[in-house]
Amino acid sequence: MPPNSVAVTMEKPDNFSLLEINGSDPSSLPDNKRKSISPKQFSWFILLKAHRVVSCLSWLFSSVRNRIASSSKHINEEEDPKSRGKQMYRFIKACLVISIVALSIEIVAHYKKWNLDPSWEVGGLVEWSYMAWLSFRSDYIAPIVITLSQFCTVLFLIQSLDRLVLCLGCFWIKFKKIEPKLKDDELDLEDASNFPMVLIQIPMCNEREVYEQSIEAASQLDWPKDRILIQVLDDSDDPNLQLLIKEEVSVWAAKGVNIIYRHRLIRTGYKAGNLKSAMTCDYVKDYEFVTIFDADFTPNPDFLMKTIPHFKGNPELGLVQARWSFVNKDENLLTRLQNINLCFHFEVEQQVNGVFLNFFGFNGTAGVWRIKALEESGGWLERTTVEDMDIAVRAHLNGWKFIYLNDVEVTCELPESYEAYKKQQHRWHSGPMQLFRLCLPSIIKSKLNIVVLVLEIKDFGKKANLIFLFFLLRKLILPFYSFTLFCIILPLTMFIPEAELPLWIICYIPIFISLLNILPSPKSFPFLIPYLLFENTMSITKFNAMISGLFQLGSAYEWVVTKKTGRSSESDLLAFAEKEEKLHRRNSESGLELLRKLKEQEMNLVEQEMNLAEQEMNLAEQETAKKSIGGLMRSSSKIKKRNMVFKKELGLAFLLLTAAARSFLSAHGLHFYFLLFQGLSFLVVGLDLIGEQIN
């Protein structure tokens, strides 16, 4: 035995322990039977932890580097549609399993009233494991969660400040009554030669429900017939639909409208490829402006009269963008919530950026481009799924200015099913990240017409706006913190109380920001809480799309045409009735001729009813035959609506509800109610109980 050592032996009937104490100083006796740690051991402990941290950082860095290096390889590989989103779904399932296990342990600990202070005197292996988990959670997990939550909170505050500044800018525009004004006199309506040549393009792909109304609206634009050409750019792969669209074009061509039908044999590049192909026609060089309308957009006849004059006397102007309005905004809860978002986008974002920066993202339709601006900016490119944003960024870098007209509206449709809306949002949020990767070098290297120091400072501001505001803050940071903070960190904090989020993060500021978003559509104020919950619910789709676009995953290049229903607003029906009445007056038809036409229409209706009755009889006979076989087949004429099941949303629903149960045990109050209702909103969306079901 070494010198200055004392061996103390304590015997008890059912316990035996041996404790060796170095030194004779009584002050060196350990407290609470814990063995003292020497400086050398403590140093080794610190070095071991530092080694683990360095190894973790090295692994993380190498993983990110390999992911970026191999991203280009994954672009060319075909991805199985069934495997899309599996990684995200597995991550959510792992979080759900961990949360359920943690909740079970917490319930046992709550009812057994285990002591929360770690102690060596334990009653069993389970309780000892629980004490060890508390110590490990406090020392290692809580600091990581706190750091991540603080980082997301900073991003949340920055984005909230940006939203507030935009609203203040909109208020200033309304207060000062700022609006784009014509720099020159309006067009001389008496002399048709003063009207510039305008090309109208209507790209469409399998849009059976809406092709008629878009062609009709474009054919009735108030513009000299010899100064306008309408291109119907049909990418449909259905031969029957192609014939219907050709026939509709022929009808309007017979009425004197300068309209042509164009179909590509090689349909590559989606909408960008369609527009690019149309611009290669020889006759395009005779036109000065091009207007684009998607297939569900129906402009008013005075659209060109309100937009084209802004180009006169303004040679630096490259784009005039009009506002969207929606014929089905009150159709269901989903369309009402979409209307809130898009009203804020047009009323606030587009208007403020247009007035103060002369730049905003082109919305892809309901806009007029100067063809010279398109050509000098490189034309339509097929490299992303957001060709509209791509051409807008390149035109801005070339020095072209944009004007947004908030008082010129073009009606269109909103997606009425959650599946269609989800696919649309995936494309809208993955495309900007693709574009950011491709355009970042061009933005940094661009000169932006630098002449003197003042212009250098101004152009540096343009670069900063493009990089930090247009791309990073509004396209990357927003979906990142929204999903991470409210769908991952918040449920985790219920099981890690050391990292609990304050109420102003999960309640007060989100409600304030939601109020700002609803201001442009005050009639939607009753939907404040559903809007807040739905935006958090959509964060998983936007986050997944952002990651896909940033790392160029296969799903980032997915393009699905948004399903349309072909609805018409009441104003459209009234306008159609007025148009028919004017047509009758113009033709000066006699009463006998009108009576003859009415009789013809009545006979046609009778024939149609007879045909329908015959079809119904045939269908009834078929159903009877099928039932006699055994009822194993159903009539194909009946269209049944079915609910989709979205696994990621359902996984997050159960994760949040599990966290709500844990919050209920701790009596967290508002945390519990927020998690409960947010979990229920995920459940409603995951079961496809919002919006129109799929036919």
Side-chain angles (χ1 to χ4, degrees):
M1 183 175 293
N4 298 328
S5 298
V6 180
V8 181
T9 302
M10 301 176 64
E11 294 187 4
K12 292 184 180 180
D14 55 351
N15 191 13
F16 176 81
S17 62
L18 176 63
L19 181 63
E20 182 178 335
I21 305 173
N22 293 324
S24 57
D25 187 5
S27 63
S28 64
L29 291 174
D31 297 333
N32 297 331
K33 302 181 182 180
R34 295 184 180 178
K35 187 176 179 180
S36 62
I37 301 176
S38 65
K40 185 177 180 180
Q41 291 175 327
F42 182 73
S43 300
W44 278 107
F45 176 77
I46 295 298
L47 289 175
L48 180 61
K49 294 301 179 184
H51 179 265
R52 289 181 179 177
V53 172
V54 172
S55 301
C56 182
L57 292 177
S58 176
W59 171 81
L60 181 62
F61 175 77
S62 61
S63 300
V64 174
R65 183 181 60 184
N66 294 335
R67 174 70 261 180
I68 296 176
S70 61
S71 60
S72 59
K73 179 181 178 181
H74 292 288
I75 298 174
N76 300 323
E77 296 179 356
E78 293 185 359
E79 185 181 10
D80 184 9
K82 295 182 179 180
S83 65
R84 293 173 184 169
K86 275 192 174 182
Q87 294 180 352
M88 175 67 69
Y89 180 55
R90 289 170 182 169
F91 172 75
I92 294 173
K93 283 200 302 184
C95 293
L96 177 60
V97 171
I98 293 173
S99 65
I100 292 176
V101 173
L103 177 62
S104 302
I105 296 175
E106 294 292 342
I107 292 175
V108 173
H110 177 76
Y111 284 103
K112 285 187 173 293
K113 299 181 180 180
W114 286 342
N115 187 9
L116 298 181
D117 295 329
S119 173
W120 292 102
E121 299 295 334
V122 295
L125 179 61
V126 177
E127 186 176 354
W128 181 88
S129 302
Y130 180 71
M131 301 301 177
W133 155 249
L134 293 180
S135 178
F136 179 79
R137 183 188 72 187
S138 177
D139 294 339
Y140 299 101
I141 299 181
I144 298 176
V145 177
I146 290 174
T147 302
L148 184 59
S149 64
Q150 290 175 346
F151 176 69
C152 292
T153 300
V154 171
L155 298 181
F156 174 50
L157 294 177
I158 293 174
Q159 199 275 335
S160 300
L161 180 62
D162 172 66
R163 192 59 57 100
L164 179 61
V165 171
L166 285 174
C167 290
L168 293 176
C170 182
F171 174 77
W172 182 257
I173 292 173
K174 299 295 184 183
F175 179 73
K176 292 292 185 178
K177 297 181 180 179
I178 302 174
E179 59 183 13
K181 296 182 179 180
L182 300 177
K183 290 190 175 182
D184 206 341
D185 295 335
E186 295 185 358
L187 297 173
D188 186 5
L189 301 180
E190 300 296 333
D191 189 1
S193 61
N194 290 331
F195 287 75
M197 299 288 287
V198 179
L199 180 66
I200 307 294
Q201 293 181 335
I202 310 176
M204 59 180 64
C205 180
N206 297 327
E207 318 238 17
R208 180 184 297 270
E209 296 81 8
V210 293
Y211 74 90
E212 289 181 326
Q213 63 188 41
S214 59
I215 294 175
E216 179 183 5
S219 301
Q220 295 177 354
L221 288 173
D222 189 7
W223 203 257
K225 299 303 180 183
D226 59 339
R227 314 294 291 179
I228 187 175
L229 172 64
I230 302 174
Q231 286 182 318
V232 179
L233 310 177
D234 181 25
D235 262 2
S236 302
D237 55 7
D238 183 0
N240 294 329
L241 181 57
Q242 294 175 20
L243 293 176
L244 291 175
I245 298 175
K246 283 182 182 179
E247 183 180 357
E248 183 69 16
V249 171
S250 301
V251 169
W252 288 101
K255 296 180 180 180
V257 178
N258 194 9
I259 183 172
I260 60 174
Y261 173 86
R262 197 169 189 275
H263 179 75
R264 293 191 299 164
L265 296 178
I266 303 177
R267 298 179 293 111
T268 59
Y270 302 113
K271 181 180 176 180
N274 198 358
L275 295 174
K276 181 180 179 180
S277 175
M279 295 298 292
T280 59
C281 299
D282 294 335
Y283 52 80
V284 172
K285 65 179 182 294
D286 298 330
Y287 293 84
E288 186 177 357
F289 304 103
V290 57
T291 304
I292 302 171
F293 296 114
D294 283 350
D296 60 317
F297 279 71
T298 54
N300 292 325
D302 59 351
F303 175 83
L304 295 178
M305 289 293 185
K306 292 183 176 180
T307 54
I308 296 294
H310 288 274
F311 289 96
K312 192 175 182 181
N314 195 356
E316 296 181 349
L317 182 60
L319 168 67
V320 174
Q321 174 70 56
R323 178 173 178 167
W324 300 359
S325 60
F326 311 103
V327 297
N328 60 338
K329 61 183 179 181
D330 298 325
E331 185 65 26
N332 53 46
L333 179 60
L334 179 61
T335 57
R336 292 177 184 272
L337 300 179
Q338 292 180 65
N339 182 61
I340 296 174
N341 263 339
L342 291 172
C343 282
F344 182 87
H345 170 70
F346 286 104
E347 184 81 18
V348 180
E349 290 181 344
Q350 296 290 76
Q351 189 169 207
V352 171
N353 291 331
V355 169
F356 295 105
L357 300 176
N358 292 121
F359 168 73
F360 46 83
F362 173 47
N363 293 117
T365 178
V368 183
W369 276 96
R370 191 188 295 271
I371 294 181
K372 182 180 178 181
L374 288 177
E375 294 174 347
E376 291 184 357
S377 303
W380 300 104
L381 298 181
E382 306 169 11
R383 56 183 182 174
T384 70
T385 57
V386 283
E387 74 293 329
D388 45 8
M389 186 181 296
D390 189 357
I391 187 62
V393 170
R394 287 185 280 117
H396 180 59
L397 294 177
N398 285 336
W400 291 97
K401 295 182 179 180
F402 302 164
I403 285 180
Y404 171 73
L405 302 178
N406 193 55
D407 57 340
V408 180
E409 297 184 0
V410 181
T411 57
C412 61
E413 287 188 19
L414 291 168
E416 296 184 7
S417 69
Y418 178 70
E419 184 187 29
Y421 179 62
K422 182 178 181 179
K423 291 179 179 179
Q424 181 195 71
Q425 291 300 303
H426 186 279
R427 176 165 54 88
W428 284 6
H429 286 82
S430 64
M433 289 298 98
Q434 303 172 32
L435 185 61
F436 178 67
R437 288 174 55 96
L438 296 171
C439 286
L440 184 59
S442 302
I443 295 173
I444 297 176
K445 296 177 183 178
S446 63
K447 301 281 184 181
L448 286 175
N449 299 328
I450 297 178
V451 181
V452 293
L453 181 61
V454 176
L455 289 179
E456 289 180 0
I457 297 174
K458 181 179 179 180
D459 295 334
F460 175 78
K462 290 182 179 180
K463 293 182 181 181
N465 171 64
L466 275 177
I467 295 175
F468 297 106
L469 292 181
F470 188 73
F471 280 113
L472 290 181
L473 183 60
R474 297 169 187 168
K475 309 300 181 184
L476 188 147
I477 291 178
L478 177 59
F480 173 78
Y481 87 76
S482 181
F483 173 74
T484 307
L485 187 62
F486 295 105
C487 299
I488 300 299
I489 294 179
L490 180 59
L492 284 178
T493 57
M494 297 299 100
F495 302 96
I496 308 173
E498 296 88 349
E500 182 176 334
L501 296 175
L503 286 178
W504 59 269
I505 293 179
I506 66 173
C507 183
Y508 302 142
I509 292 183
I511 290 179
F512 176 71
I513 297 301
S514 299
L515 280 173
L516 294 181
N517 289 346
I518 289 182
L519 286 179
S521 53
K523 293 183 179 179
S524 302
F525 182 79
F527 302 96
L528 173 64
I529 300 302
Y531 171 75
L532 173 61
L533 297 175
F534 182 72
E535 282 300 290
N536 291 334
T537 305
M538 285 302 302
S539 64
I540 181 175
T541 298
K542 297 176 182 179
F543 178 82
N544 192 25
M546 183 266 294
I547 294 297
S548 300
L550 188 62
F551 294 103
Q552 293 187 320
L553 303 179
S555 60
Y557 293 86
E558 180 184 20
W559 181 294
V560 179
V561 178
T562 305
K563 180 68 176 176
K564 312 294 192 314
T565 59
R567 299 185 186 276
S568 298
S569 63
E570 184 178 355
S571 59
D572 294 334
L573 296 176
L574 292 175
F576 179 77
E578 292 178 359
K579 180 193 68 175
E580 290 294 326
E581 184 179 356
K582 290 180 180 179
L583 184 62
H584 288 306
R585 291 177 181 176
R586 186 181 305 169
N587 294 334
S588 301
E589 296 178 334
S590 63
L592 294 175
E593 188 174 358
L594 286 174
L595 182 60
R596 179 180 58 81
K597 287 192 173 185
L598 289 175
K599 288 183 177 181
E600 290 179 357
Q601 292 178 1
E602 186 177 356
M603 292 294 296
N604 292 332
L605 290 175
V606 172
E607 291 179 0
Q608 292 178 3
E609 291 178 356
M610 293 177 65
N611 292 332
L612 288 175
E614 185 178 355
Q615 291 177 4
E616 290 178 357
M617 292 178 63
N618 293 333
L619 290 175
E621 293 177 358
Q622 293 177 4
E623 290 179 359
T624 303
K626 291 175 182 178
K627 288 180 181 179
S628 63
I629 295 174
L632 298 178
M633 300 177 61
R634 296 181 180 179
S635 174
S636 60
S637 63
K638 292 184 178 180
I639 300 177
K640 290 191 175 182
K641 296 182 178 181
R642 58 185 178 88
N643 291 71
M644 302 288 291
V645 175
F646 303 98
K647 294 182 179 180
K648 291 192 287 291
E649 284 79 356
L650 284 179
L652 276 176
F654 293 122
L655 174 62
L656 290 166
L657 292 176
T658 304
R662 176 63 183 88
S663 177
F664 181 76
L665 291 178
S666 302
H668 280 153
L670 285 178
H671 291 75
F672 164 73
Y673 290 108
F674 179 82
L675 289 167
L676 176 63
F677 288 111
Q678 188 65 71
L680 292 176
S681 67
F682 268 103
L683 186 63
V684 169
V685 173
L687 295 175
D688 196 18
L689 299 178
I690 184 173
E692 190 76 15
Q693 276 68 49
I694 302 299
N695 289 335

